[in-house]
Amino acid sequence: MDTRFEFISINPFRDKRGSLKKIAMKSRIGTEIEEVYVLYSNKGAVRGNHYHKETSEYFSVLEGTAFFSLKDLETEDFETVKISSDDNIIVKVPVNVVHAFKNDTDQPMVMLAVSSREYNPDDDDTYPMVILQ
């Protein structure tokens, strides 16, 4: 299957102080970054269920576990995966890929999001489509 969305493995630097995970590197992303934000999701929370026509995004679970669902509107590829902070995965979501994630554990889930476009309510690039309940 030749999907446009990707699950990118990262290798954290570890020493006696802890670890360092590089998420947004120009060589990996290859695009301008206009927005970085952190999401905190409680048990049962579903986020996303939309796609963008002009915005690419990258997600990494920092704490807890998330179920990701991704549907490529161009290729019709669909996948749902469970990703925890221990997996050291970045999820690359290009344009026209519906994305949603859910925390179905008792623990809070914290996720870092990197976006190629700053959110602007007057020029919204968010198109709803439910793929995860």
Side-chain angles (χ1 to χ4, degrees):
M1 186 178 344
D2 188 24
T3 60
R4 293 181 324 115
F5 52 83
E6 292 180 60
F7 303 99
I8 303 166
S9 294
I10 57 174
N11 295 312
F13 171 79
R14 298 179 197 279
D15 65 15
K16 64 183 181 182
R17 299 169 294 175
S19 65
L20 181 144
K21 296 181 182 185
K22 290 187 179 183
I23 306 300
M25 298 166 27
K26 184 177 181 179
S27 62
R28 181 178 294 140
I29 293 177
T31 188
E32 295 290 323
I33 296 171
E34 290 192 8
E35 190 169 70
V36 176
Y37 53 97
V38 177
L39 298 162
Y40 300 86
S41 294
N42 296 323
K43 180 179 182 175
V46 177
R47 294 183 179 268
N49 277 326
H50 62 249
Y51 66 97
H52 308 285
K53 294 181 180 179
E54 299 177 27
T55 306
S56 297
E57 294 179 301
Y58 299 81
F59 298 96
S60 184
V61 178
L62 302 179
E63 184 177 319
T65 303
F67 280 89
F68 275 87
S69 288
L70 300 146
K71 180 180 181 182
D72 190 322
L73 297 177
E74 295 178 15
T75 65
E76 295 298 317
D77 291 329
F78 180 85
E79 191 165 348
T80 297
V81 296
K82 178 181 176 181
I83 298 176
S84 82
S85 56
D86 294 332
D87 292 328
N88 298 315
I89 297 288
I90 298 168
V91 181
K92 176 184 176 183
V93 181
V95 297
N96 295 319
V97 171
V98 185
H99 49 285
F101 45 91
K102 181 177 186 176
N103 176 11
D104 70 348
T105 70
D106 290 331
Q107 302 302 313
M109 186 269 297
V110 180
M111 184 180 302
L112 178 70
V114 177
S115 179
S116 67
R117 188 167 187 255
E118 185 176 348
Y119 176 75
N120 179 349
D122 296 327
D123 183 17
D124 192 8
D125 182 39
T126 303
Y127 302 88
M129 181 178 287
V130 175
I131 60 170
L132 181 63
Q133 303 272 335

